[in-house]
Amino acid sequence: MAKMRMNQAISAALADEMRADPDVVMFGEDVAVAGGPFKTSDGLLAEFGPSRVRDTPISEMGFLGAAVGAASTGLRPVVEIMFIEFLGVALDQLATEAAKFHYLSGGKLTVPLTVRASTGAGLGFGTQHSQTLEGWLIGTPGLKVAVASGPQTGYGLLRAAIQDDNPVVVLEPRVRYSTRAEVNVGDDAVIPLGVAARVADGNDVTIVGLGGTVLTALDAAGRAQGWSADVIDLQTVYPWDRATVLESVQRTGRVVTVEENPFGGGWGTDITSVVGAELFGRLAAPPLRITAPDVPVPYGKHLEARYVPDAEYVTAQIDHLVSHGELPPHWWDDGEVGQ
Amino acid sequence: MAKMRMNQAISAALADEMRADPDVVMFGEDVAVAGGPFKTSDGLLAEFGPSRVRDTPISEMGFLGAAVGAASTGLRPVVEIMFIEFLGVALDQLATEAAKFHYLSGGKLTVPLTVRASTGAGLGFGTQHSQTLEGWLIGTPGLKVAVASGPQTGYGLLRAAIQDDNPVVVLEPRVRYSTRAEVNVGDDAVIPLGVAARVADGNDVTIVGLGGTVLTALDAAGRAQGWSADVIDLQTVYPWDRATVLESVQRTGRVVTVEENPFGGGWGTDITSVVGAELFGRLAAPPLRITAPDVPVPYGKHLEARYVPDAEYVTAQIDHLVSHGELPPHWWDDGEVGQ
Amino acid sequence: MTSEAIARREQVRTDRVARYERMVEIRALEDRVQELFAEGLVHGTTHTAQGQEAVAVGVAAAARATDSVTCTYRGHGVALALGLTPLDVIGEIMGRTVGSIGGVGGSMHLCEPAVGLLPTFAIVGAGIPVAAGAALTAQVRGTDTAAVAVFGDGSSNIGAFHEGLNLAAIWSLPVVFVCENNQYGEYSRINLTTPITDLADRATSYGMPSQIVDGQDPDAVHAATEKALDHARAGSGPTLLEMKTYRYAGHSRADTAPYRPEGEFEDWYDNRDPINGFRARLEAEGTLTPEQVDAIGHEVAARIEAAVTDAEASPRAGIETMFANIVAPATEGT
Amino acid sequence: MTSEAIARREQVRTDRVARYERMVEIRALEDRVQELFAEGLVHGTTHTAQGQEAVAVGVAAAARATDSVTCTYRGHGVALALGLTPLDVIGEIMGRTVGSIGGVGGSMHLCEPAVGLLPTFAIVGAGIPVAAGAALTAQVRGTDTAAVAVFGDGSSNIGAFHEGLNLAAIWSLPVVFVCENNQYGEYSRINLTTPITDLADRATSYGMPSQIVDGQDPDAVHAATEKALDHARAGSGPTLLEMKTYRYAGHSRADTAPYRPEGEFEDWYDNRDPINGFRARLEAEGTLTPEQVDAIGHEVAARIEAAVTDAEASPRAGIETMFANIVAPATEGT
Ligand SMILES: Cc1ncc(C[n+]2csc(CCOP(=O)(O)OP(=O)(O)O)c2C)c(N)n1
Ligand SMILES: Cc1ncc(C[n+]2csc(CCOP(=O)(O)OP(=O)(O)O)c2C)c(N)n1
Ligand SMILES: [Mg+2]
Ligand SMILES: [Mg+2]
């Protein structure tokens, strides 16, 4: 146990895997000498040297592609995509090559590749550097997508990703890099992929959070009056843990996803679609998705803060759902701000 | 009215828009001299000349980016992405630039860009040339995504896309390029974006199809015994027409999406999530998604044919849904083929 | 303000003293922006361009207002050079409605089509093919406008650079590619990421003419850009210009540039500062007097302070702005 | 079959007559594959490499079985040269379980890591950075293996080419970039899409050595590739080799190549056919007799027919194969 910020926990996970296996290498833009733009690889160059920890040219397609080649031939590379938007210049190597190589080699090759990328709003980086964009990745058979919610999951999911023989993307909500918490390190702290965690127990509603919204969901549950919530940290969003979610909703009778992405097309559609169908006739209220509005992420502290659902709003939405048994309006349905 | 294949209807739509507006230009790989790998721009070079109809180097990021620049400065470019997978090397220009330029110019610029791409399985092109991949595009505020289901919608949606002042992607199911039908041409045949079409009327179930699955849905509805279906051609998948879908399901009490994509993360999650929540307590059966399994698209006629849901399977799934009021198993839940 | 921007655009086009003044303005604005961030008055990040003023002003002097320009997140200098006002820029950075795009973009997102500035690009390399596309518009329409893409040395390693230049070359598009080789991409010196020294050499791959230019000399930048633009307008195709320059500040807000070799900054600053050099030349020519230099310094300082004050006094972008300008309402058919 | 592939791999490495035979085999297989499609016995599409046999065989002669090779959808020739059997290839094309990856891939998707063949790439350019990555494995581990990327002329216009070569150069990776300049990308002659004639010139952008090679001469291809591989293994970094060659068939199944200038194909076929040229040389040297030539022709023809027969007799990939090999089960920790 040690108190760490999430970026330190990530550095620690990388270091632990690199110590355990000389085939683990790490590269990306300014990850070596500078220790990473978000200091998520601090100290690695000093400990593991310039062959295993490398700075790259600005060429995500090139170095992600190189990671695919390295992973197919014996290394276990970890690459950093500084902001998830930059996958827009490199998606081919992840979705069309890496995810399909095991299949397209008749099972002869594995691709133990880990791609880390920072995501989300909250730091004032503007429209092209603040999105979550899991939607680009979900629905790609052969790929796994995990999302860290804080220091502990940042550590445990990353270690699992590096140990996995498949391409795994680990998304890191940027706003949490500076979150400090006690972190269990070591092999016991590895968090299996594909498994969600119940991080709070309650009776009336299941709140499913992912990444940055897990803390929000916990906070919202803490403010609850007249209802209590199971809070689930989904941890892996593709493929996601149906058993844990369905078990919980079966007990609570209500499901709410808290998402940091626009309403149209977010990951919560998958959760609520499956829950709504599988537990048809057994829910006490309609499945509720709490999301950002269908707009580009705005700049400016107050706009950005409003864009991302906050705990107060989540609590209010759930109050409405529980007390009326029907969907609450979104905050932007208000005529004054409407599209 | 003229009998045309879908690729001819697309060529006709392009020609009609190019005749109407000298700012409409068209480029892509082998679209000019050769008339397009799928003959979707046949005759355009001869009629409109090499300045407006151009072959490009193999560089999707380059020519899609050029189209963004051209659209921002006065042209109305149409670009062809031969197979939708190739957006994996160019997504940045569509999702991160084009979709956000109107916003990032404070409304001073518009981006009347049309991107056409062929999609889907059925022609034996293998894993990297047979996907639908709407998921890469859905959830991008500022972008519209339409999908042609045959010659008529291939004509009408493309014309609407070219006339629209926003970036619009028109997806074309490759397997339908050779489908022949009577096609209304002319201005009256323009199909507004964002609007779905009810293409068959029934009482017991609403089947929502998109692109290649619309014909499948119609065929399945035609085989129905003991139930009848509204069939909706969604036409625009982002943003989709909630009013038309909800109105229909309100009447029929059941919703079924027929998708050509894996179960995890497909566009049907959005439809069923919204329908399940909005019509909570008013449905006679759980929302049902009929999809492909969560696998890469396989090669080989019989595998590919099995991958894509066919009419017989759709009918059987709905039979089960209507008669039991509960979800049918997927064909791949059968132990013999299971993952 | 659009009308003011158009007037300012013309000054830099026609008057060398105005160019000097604009360089001073860029320097002062960038210094002030850094302070605003340091004081915690602004949220997010910023990338400033002190040391690179001659490239911005020289390019703006050569291009016409009807030409299109794409540039990067390090774009305050190019924006001011093209005519945007300090209030346009500072207002945007501070998230105010008076900002260039109404305060929803921030430091990385400026735009003013009236003076040719397309939305600035926060994705490395993305502006390169977009500029080629703006040039395509001119070519298809048969006008004599052209386009300019301004981008960094590090950006010459990304695919969009390669594809953009190749497309422009094969189509002979009227576009000029201006690489601001400021020696660094983020925290990495160019030699650590790029296997050649002169990026102008990359034009070979496209059969394109190229030139290495002293990016600290606004006259040299102006002359080279004008020549390349003339070549482009004549239908002879694109040119790659490599401007050798230097980034005085760190990469972004928090970066103090500890990775720079000792003395490197001092060498550039003491011996090749674009503002000092240009002032000395104008004075030697008799175009500028020491009194004018002082007056310009004072005026510019006052202008920047006024812009900060005006920005602070103007409303923050309201919640409703989040919902504006996402989808253009009008379509051609309606 | 893996063991047979390994043996066949070695033959081409060590024996020039075997190289001749393999070229004949490639030609015969490609001709037969076209027939299979024409007869409607196969579904989908295929891209054949008649005319380019010397590149495939020359590269395979130079590379070791432990080296990694990436190539394209036009990969039957490279695959056979590296040792895959006609049955591996035809079986895959026909969707049979005996195919290279069990029949789920088809013509564009072959793979045999035992002889160094990584999955062939259906996305233009994608194999280029992947080869650099295979070379990275060798560099990190300190082995003397290397990697080869084989790709077309048209692929040199895409971003992955630029980024892959740049990365390999700055990291001095042991990789050889083999550009098969067969004059066409799909239906477009290279001069319509690429502003330079010699793609080897693109090495300048990366400070990389390069060489133009007669791609119709397997000895020349072998020598150039071996030299570049030696250079790579010595830690001196990558090389770009441009193989001047010609694609006899159309781009893919249905293409009859109507866009070719009159006489172009005939000129290459009559004067620069790689098989005829190599046969003449071997005969002149006394390494090969006309009798052997005939025997090889017959044996190869029989081998291809046997492969077709065996493929037809073997089971189609079953539905259960759709669900296999998607996610690797074992993880390092388990
Ligand atoms: C595709 C992409 N990758 C990485 C980044 C992060 N990034 C922002 S600026 C920068 C350095 C760019 O260097 P250069 O092109 O030399 O421009 P300069 O900042 O020196 O003006 C990087 C890597 C980005 N914005 N986009
Ligand atoms: C990214 C991408 N864009 C387009 C295509 C379609 N395509 C397949 S092969 C080909 C031509 C490639 O030409 P070249 O690189 O010269 O190789 P050749 O076919 O001549 O061997 C094209 C455009 C593709 N597969 N991938
Ligand atoms: Mg730089
Ligand atoms: Mg070629």
Side-chain angles (χ1 to χ4, degrees):
Chain A
M1 282 287 244
K3 200 143 186 147
M4 302 186 189
R5 291 194 307 271
M6 188 170 85
N7 57 357
Q8 294 170 320
I10 288 164
S11 297
L14 288 165
D16 285 347
E17 287 299 322
M18 293 186 80
R19 280 178 207 129
D21 184 346
D23 285 328
V24 178
V25 299
M26 143 104 213
F27 44 96
E29 292 156 12
D30 290 309
V31 300
V33 176
F38 301 109
K39 291 282 176 201
T40 48
S41 46
D42 210 23
L44 298 186
L45 175 64
E47 181 171 353
F48 302 104
S51 177
R52 293 177 64 196
V53 183
R54 295 176 182 228
D55 288 322
T56 63
I58 309 171
S59 51
E60 283 79 5
M61 184 74 91
F63 70 76
L64 184 50
V68 175
S72 310
T73 52
L75 297 185
R76 307 184 80 82
V78 182
V79 301
E80 173 170 307
I81 301 290
M82 203 184 303
F83 288 75
I84 192 172
E85 280 86 354
F86 308 163
L87 273 182
V89 305
L91 191 61
D92 179 65
Q93 287 291 346
L94 189 56
T96 311
E97 315 304 338
K100 295 175 174 57
F101 260 36
H102 187 56
Y103 189 75
L104 289 179
S105 68
K108 288 173 187 160
L109 293 176
T110 55
V111 186
L113 163 68
T114 301
V115 176
R116 299 176 35 245
S118 79
T119 65
L123 297 182
F125 286 137
T127 303
Q128 296 182 332
H129 282 68
S130 300
Q131 300 167 91
T132 47
L133 297 178
E134 310 89 1
W136 288 0
L137 307 171
I138 289 172
T140 311
L143 198 66
K144 299 179 185 180
V145 185
V147 189
S149 56
Q152 189 67 63
T153 53
Y155 178 87
L157 291 169
L158 180 54
R159 288 203 56 191
I162 299 172
Q163 292 178 11
D164 199 289
D165 271 345
N166 298 284
V168 180
V169 180
V170 183
L171 303 177
E172 300 164 359
R174 212 170 292 119
V175 80
R176 294 271 172 267
Y177 281 137
S178 56
T179 301
R180 269 170 74 90
E182 291 288 341
V183 178
N184 271 318
V185 295
D187 295 351
D188 295 344
V190 173
I191 300 172
L193 299 175
V195 175
R198 200 161 75 221
V199 294
D201 297 330
N203 300 313
D204 308 295
V205 57
T206 300
I207 314 180
V208 183
L210 180 74
T213 69
V214 174
L215 264 188
T216 314
L218 278 169
D219 191 357
R223 294 159 185 252
Q225 308 249 355
W227 51 268
S228 69
D230 260 15
V231 177
I232 290 178
D233 180 345
L234 201 57
Q235 298 187 150
T236 301
V237 64
Y238 184 79
W240 59 278
D241 181 354
R242 291 168 59 133
T244 297
V245 173
L246 289 172
E247 184 282 323
S248 171
V249 183
Q250 234 155 348
R251 276 190 291 102
T252 64
R254 297 178 187 87
V255 65
V256 176
T257 59
V258 184
E259 302 169 52
E260 181 185 330
N261 47 235
F263 186 78
W267 57 266
T269 61
D270 206 334
I271 314 289
T272 53
S273 167
V274 167
V275 170
E278 294 286 339
L279 301 183
F280 181 75
R282 290 145 77 191
L283 297 177
L288 170 64
R289 293 179 58 224
I290 302 176
T291 70
D294 286 310
V295 305
V297 184
Y299 172 72
K301 240 183 172 144
H302 58 302
L303 298 183
E304 217 177 343
R306 190 68 182 267
Y307 174 86
V308 181
D310 66 11
E312 200 181 331
Y313 175 62
V314 171
T315 308
Q317 290 265 304
I318 298 176
D319 280 346
H320 183 112
L321 185 80
V322 171
S323 51
H324 297 78
E326 59 186 37
L327 296 176
H330 307 126
W331 66 261
W332 59 87
D333 288 340
D334 170 351
E336 304 223 346
V337 298
Q339 290 162 273
Chain B
M1 282 289 244
K3 199 143 187 148
M4 302 186 189
R5 290 192 308 270
M6 187 171 84
N7 57 357
Q8 293 171 319
I10 289 165
S11 297
L14 288 165
D16 286 347
E17 287 299 322
M18 293 186 80
R19 279 177 208 128
D21 184 345
D23 285 328
V24 178
V25 300
M26 143 104 210
F27 45 95
E29 292 154 12
D30 290 308
V31 300
V33 176
F38 301 109
K39 291 280 176 205
T40 48
S41 47
D42 210 22
L44 298 186
L45 175 64
E47 180 170 354
F48 303 103
S51 177
R52 292 178 65 197
V53 184
R54 295 175 182 229
D55 288 322
T56 63
I58 309 172
S59 51
E60 283 80 3
M61 184 74 90
F63 70 76
L64 184 49
V68 175
S72 310
T73 52
L75 298 185
R76 306 185 81 82
V78 182
V79 301
E80 173 169 306
I81 300 289
M82 201 186 302
F83 287 76
I84 192 173
E85 280 85 354
F86 308 164
L87 273 183
V89 306
L91 191 60
D92 179 65
Q93 287 291 346
L94 188 57
T96 311
E97 316 303 338
K100 294 173 175 59
F101 260 36
H102 187 56
Y103 189 75
L104 289 179
S105 67
K108 288 173 186 159
L109 294 176
T110 55
V111 186
L113 163 69
T114 300
V115 176
R116 299 177 36 246
S118 79
T119 65
L123 298 183
F125 285 137
T127 303
Q128 296 182 331
H129 282 68
S130 301
Q131 300 167 90
T132 47
L133 297 177
E134 309 91 1
W136 288 0
L137 306 172
I138 288 172
T140 310
L143 198 67
K144 300 179 184 180
V145 185
V147 188
S149 56
Q152 188 67 63
T153 53
Y155 178 86
L157 290 169
L158 180 54
R159 287 203 56 191
I162 299 172
Q163 291 178 11
D164 198 289
D165 270 346
N166 298 284
V168 181
V169 180
V170 183
L171 303 177
E172 300 164 359
R174 212 170 293 117
V175 80
R176 293 273 172 266
Y177 281 135
S178 55
T179 302
R180 268 170 73 93
E182 291 289 340
V183 177
N184 271 319
V185 296
D187 295 351
D188 294 346
V190 173
I191 299 173
L193 299 176
V195 174
R198 202 162 73 220
V199 293
D201 297 329
N203 300 314
D204 308 296
V205 56
T206 300
I207 313 180
V208 183
L210 180 74
T213 70
V214 173
L215 264 189
T216 314
L218 279 169
D219 191 357
R223 295 160 184 250
Q225 307 250 353
W227 50 268
S228 69
D230 260 17
V231 177
I232 290 179
D233 180 346
L234 201 57
Q235 297 187 151
T236 300
V237 64
Y238 183 78
W240 58 279
D241 181 353
R242 290 168 60 130
T244 298
V245 173
L246 288 172
E247 183 281 323
S248 170
V249 183
Q250 233 154 350
R251 277 190 289 100
T252 64
R254 296 178 187 87
V255 64
V256 175
T257 59
V258 184
E259 304 170 51
E260 181 184 328
N261 47 235
F263 185 78
W267 57 267
T269 61
D270 207 333
I271 313 290
T272 53
S273 167
V274 167
V275 170
E278 295 286 338
L279 301 183
F280 182 74
R282 289 143 78 191
L283 296 178
L288 170 63
R289 294 179 57 224
I290 302 177
T291 71
D294 286 310
V295 306
V297 184
Y299 171 73
K301 241 185 172 141
H302 58 301
L303 298 183
E304 218 178 342
R306 189 67 182 270
Y307 174 85
V308 182
D310 66 12
E312 197 181 331
Y313 175 62
V314 171
T315 309
Q317 289 265 303
I318 298 176
D319 280 345
H320 183 112
L321 185 79
V322 171
S323 52
H324 296 79
E326 60 187 37
L327 296 176
H330 308 126
W331 66 261
W332 59 86
D333 288 340
D334 170 350
E336 301 221 347
V337 298
Q339 291 161 274
Chain C
M1 268 254 307
T2 303
S3 58
E4 201 180 336
I6 293 171
R8 283 166 49 87
R9 178 86 193 76
E10 214 40 39
Q11 290 158 11
V12 162
R13 290 255 317 143
T14 51
D15 178 9
R16 280 168 79 231
V17 173
R19 288 174 205 162
Y20 170 74
E21 178 176 333
R22 197 62 57 83
M23 287 167 62
V24 172
E25 181 184 287
I26 294 171
R27 179 75 53 90
L29 180 134
E30 294 291 52
D31 287 346
R32 192 69 181 90
V33 164
Q34 283 191 312
E35 281 171 29
L36 291 171
F37 276 85
E39 290 163 15
L41 289 179
V42 196
H43 161 71
T45 191
T46 193
H47 309 78
T48 60
Q50 295 101 324
Q52 304 178 205
E53 296 86 354
V55 180
V57 166
V59 165
R64 301 180 188 159
T66 44
D67 295 337
S68 295
V69 178
T70 66
C71 76
T72 73
Y73 50 85
R74 195 180 304 291
H76 311 158
V78 172
L80 291 175
L82 290 176
L84 277 81
T85 65
L87 183 58
D88 289 334
V89 176
I90 292 178
E92 188 56 42
I93 293 174
M94 296 180 73
R96 308 294 165 140
T97 52
V98 293
S100 167
I101 64 164
V104 297
S107 168
M108 297 204 272
H109 297 296
L110 305 171
C111 178
E112 183 48 89
V115 295
L117 184 66
L118 292 178
T120 56
F121 289 80
I123 303 294
V124 160
I128 299 173
V130 171
L136 177 65
T137 298
Q139 190 183 67
V140 169
R141 290 184 164 175
T143 63
D144 68 348
T145 61
V148 179
V150 182
F151 53 91
D153 47 296
S155 312
S156 78
N157 290 327
I158 206 161
F161 165 88
H162 181 65
E163 298 189 12
L165 269 71
N166 190 62
L167 188 71
I170 194 78
W171 285 355
S172 254
L173 295 175
V175 53
V176 179
F177 298 106
V178 174
C179 179
E180 287 185 294
N181 183 350
N182 65 5
Q183 319 295 326
Y184 288 86
E186 282 200 355
Y187 321 135
S188 295
R189 215 175 174 291
I190 178 171
N191 56 299
L192 301 174
T193 57
T194 310
I196 59 173
T197 310
D198 293 327
L199 299 172
D201 290 349
R202 292 192 157 168
T204 309
S205 286
Y206 319 105
M208 190 187 291
S210 70
Q211 190 184 332
I212 295 174
V213 182
D214 178 359
Q216 304 309 79
D217 177 352
D219 290 332
V221 172
H222 172 223
T225 309
E226 187 153 81
K227 188 173 146 222
L229 281 167
D230 287 346
H231 184 84
R233 291 189 218 283
S236 308
T239 302
L240 173 61
L241 300 177
E242 179 186 3
M243 308 293 179
K244 301 278 193 188
T245 182
Y246 195 73
R247 189 191 78 196
Y248 285 176
H251 166 65
S252 62
R253 187 180 53 87
D255 174 25
T256 57
Y259 42 80
R260 289 202 292 224
E262 173 112 18
E264 187 185 69
F265 163 72
E266 290 73 12
D267 185 36
W268 281 85
Y269 186 81
D270 295 342
N271 305 316
R272 299 184 61 185
D273 183 71
I275 297 179
N276 289 341
F278 196 43
R279 182 179 53 222
R281 181 181 302 157
L282 292 176
E283 287 182 356
E285 286 173 6
T287 315
L288 192 67
T289 64
E291 294 68 38
Q292 275 177 292
V293 167
D294 280 353
I296 287 173
H298 291 302
E299 276 166 40
V300 163
R303 194 183 304 153
I304 300 296
E305 273 325 299
V308 173
T309 311
D310 290 354
E312 279 179 332
S314 97
R316 289 182 194 280
I319 295 294
E320 73 288 352
T321 60
M322 282 173 64
F323 298 91
N325 301 320
I326 298 163
V327 174
T331 65
E332 200 186 48
T334 55
Chain D
M1 268 255 306
T2 304
S3 57
E4 200 179 337
I6 293 171
R8 282 165 50 87
R9 179 86 194 75
E10 215 39 38
Q11 290 158 9
V12 162
R13 290 255 318 142
T14 49
D15 177 9
R16 280 167 80 230
V17 173
R19 289 175 204 161
Y20 170 75
E21 177 175 333
R22 196 63 55 84
M23 288 167 62
V24 173
E25 181 184 286
I26 294 171
R27 178 76 52 92
L29 180 134
E30 295 291 52
D31 287 346
R32 191 69 181 90
V33 164
Q34 283 190 313
E35 282 172 28
L36 291 171
F37 277 84
E39 289 163 16
L41 288 179
V42 194
H43 161 70
T45 190
T46 193
H47 309 79
T48 60
Q50 296 101 322
Q52 304 178 204
E53 295 87 353
V55 180
V57 166
V59 166
R64 301 181 187 159
T66 44
D67 295 336
S68 294
V69 178
T70 66
C71 76
T72 73
Y73 50 85
R74 195 179 305 288
H76 311 159
V78 173
L80 291 176
L82 290 177
L84 276 79
T85 64
L87 182 58
D88 290 333
V89 176
I90 292 177
E92 188 56 43
I93 293 173
M94 297 181 72
R96 309 294 165 140
T97 53
V98 294
S100 167
I101 63 163
V104 295
S107 167
M108 297 205 271
H109 297 295
L110 306 171
C111 178
E112 183 48 88
V115 295
L117 184 66
L118 292 178
T120 56
F121 290 80
I123 304 294
V124 160
I128 299 174
V130 171
L136 177 65
T137 298
Q139 190 183 68
V140 169
R141 290 183 163 174
T143 63
D144 68 348
T145 60
V148 179
V150 182
F151 53 91
D153 48 298
S155 311
S156 79
N157 290 328
I158 205 161
F161 166 88
H162 181 64
E163 297 189 11
L165 269 70
N166 190 60
L167 188 72
I170 194 78
W171 285 355
S172 256
L173 296 175
V175 53
V176 179
F177 299 106
V178 174
C179 180
E180 287 184 295
N181 184 350
N182 66 5
Q183 318 295 325
Y184 287 86
E186 283 199 356
Y187 321 135
S188 295
R189 212 173 176 292
I190 179 171
N191 56 300
L192 301 174
T193 57
T194 309
I196 59 172
T197 310
D198 293 326
L199 299 172
D201 291 349
R202 292 193 156 167
T204 308
S205 286
Y206 319 105
M208 191 187 290
S210 69
Q211 191 184 331
I212 296 174
V213 181
D214 178 357
Q216 304 308 80
D217 177 352
D219 290 334
V221 173
H222 172 224
T225 308
E226 186 153 81
K227 186 171 148 227
L229 281 167
D230 287 347
H231 184 84
R233 291 189 218 283
S236 308
T239 302
L240 173 61
L241 301 177
E242 179 186 3
M243 308 292 179
K244 301 279 192 188
T245 183
Y246 195 74
R247 190 191 76 196
Y248 286 174
H251 166 65
S252 62
R253 185 181 53 87
D255 174 27
T256 56
Y259 43 80
R260 289 202 293 223
E262 172 112 17
E264 187 185 71
F265 163 72
E266 290 73 12
D267 185 36
W268 281 84
Y269 187 80
D270 294 343
N271 305 316
R272 300 184 61 184
D273 183 71
I275 297 178
N276 289 343
F278 195 43
R279 181 178 52 226
R281 181 181 302 158
L282 292 176
E283 286 182 357
E285 285 173 9
T287 315
L288 193 66
T289 63
E291 295 68 38
Q292 276 176 292
V293 167
D294 281 353
I296 287 172
H298 291 303
E299 275 166 41
V300 163
R303 194 183 304 153
I304 300 296
E305 273 325 298
V308 173
T309 312
D310 290 353
E312 280 178 332
S314 96
R316 288 182 194 280
I319 295 295
E320 72 290 351
T321 60
M322 281 173 66
F323 299 90
N325 302 320
I326 298 164
V327 174
T331 65
E332 200 188 47
T334 55

